[in-house]
Amino acid sequence: MKTSSFENFPWWMVVVCNAVGLAVYAIGLYLMVRLGIVWGVLYAAYCLWMEWRLLSGSCRHCYYYGKRCGFGKGRVCSWFLARKAEQGLGAKPISWRDLIPDFLVSLIPLGFGIAMLIRGFSWLVLLLIVILAFLGSVGTGLIRGRLACQYCKQREIGCPAQQLFSKTSQA
Ligand code: SF4
């Protein structure tokens, strides 16, 4: 990976990186609402909790706190939460178990979408499931690997997610 990093990411990268995440949320929400409004509300609450978990558990420890990272969340975090400089993000190791809630953001609507297809076939649901599966795997991998992580200063300083992925890819 290139070692050059951004102090503040260019806006076009922030837009592209967030577009994939927001598309996963939107398709997921549509599929869950199609199942029932209560499921949609529960899924929306889960996604909001995931954002809060990121801001409170990672962004406030991150180098990009108050700055524009690849997702712009360092800046958003500084609007709501005080910085936690005493423990840098690099000092917070994570395991694959810690990433399960992130994977569930796309796996929950994917699972319910497949159940809906079995109950009654719909080209629209099939198309949305295929797009969601692509965005939740290849799409997310591309924006992180080619944009957000490639130019990230926190990666140079030490990033627990990067360490986990590189450890796994070397194993
Ligand atoms: S790089 Fe990641 S942890 Fe750091 S502020 Fe941005 S979203 Fe948060």
Side-chain angles (χ1 to χ4, degrees):
M1 271 193 192
K2 275 188 200 156
T3 53
S4 60
S5 58
F6 291 121
E7 194 62 20
N8 283 288
F9 275 68
W11 276 111
W12 74 265
M13 280 194 187
V14 177
V15 170
V16 171
C17 290
N18 281 298
V20 171
L22 290 173
V24 167
Y25 283 157
I27 294 173
L29 188 58
Y30 174 80
L31 288 171
M32 298 305 285
V33 167
R34 212 179 149 108
L35 201 65
I37 193 67
V38 174
W39 291 103
V41 170
L42 288 173
Y43 181 72
Y46 181 74
C47 295
L48 285 173
W49 172 73
M50 285 300 297
E51 289 299 323
W52 180 258
R53 178 174 172 264
L54 176 69
L55 295 180
S56 58
S58 299
C59 302
R60 61 195 312 193
H61 302 269
C62 181
Y63 175 86
Y64 284 99
Y65 177 88
K67 299 187 178 99
R68 197 170 54 241
C69 68
F71 298 94
K73 292 178 183 171
R75 181 76 53 79
V76 172
C77 183
S78 66
W79 300 339
F80 302 104
L81 297 165
R83 179 164 183 57
K84 279 221 168 161
E86 65 276 4
Q87 186 188 30
L89 191 58
K92 291 165 61 81
I94 62 168
S95 67
W96 284 105
R97 205 178 50 199
D98 299 314
L99 293 180
I100 291 174
D102 300 82
F103 296 141
L104 288 177
V105 168
S106 41
L107 287 177
I108 291 171
L110 265 178
F112 280 106
I114 292 165
M116 277 191 273
L117 272 185
I118 293 167
R119 241 182 29 193
F121 183 80
S122 149
W123 283 108
L124 175 60
V125 171
L126 177 63
L127 178 67
L128 290 175
I129 284 175
V130 170
I131 296 172
L132 183 59
F134 175 81
L135 291 176
S137 53
V138 179
T140 302
L142 280 174
I143 56 150
R144 288 187 180 279
R146 298 288 173 82
L147 293 178
C149 301
Q150 182 153 348
Y151 301 101
C152 180
K153 186 81 176 175
Q154 185 62 56
R155 178 184 55 75
E156 291 175 0
I157 299 169
C159 166
Q162 172 70 20
Q163 286 152 6
L164 180 67
F165 292 132
S166 52
K167 201 168 36 179
T168 305
S169 61
Q170 283 157 13

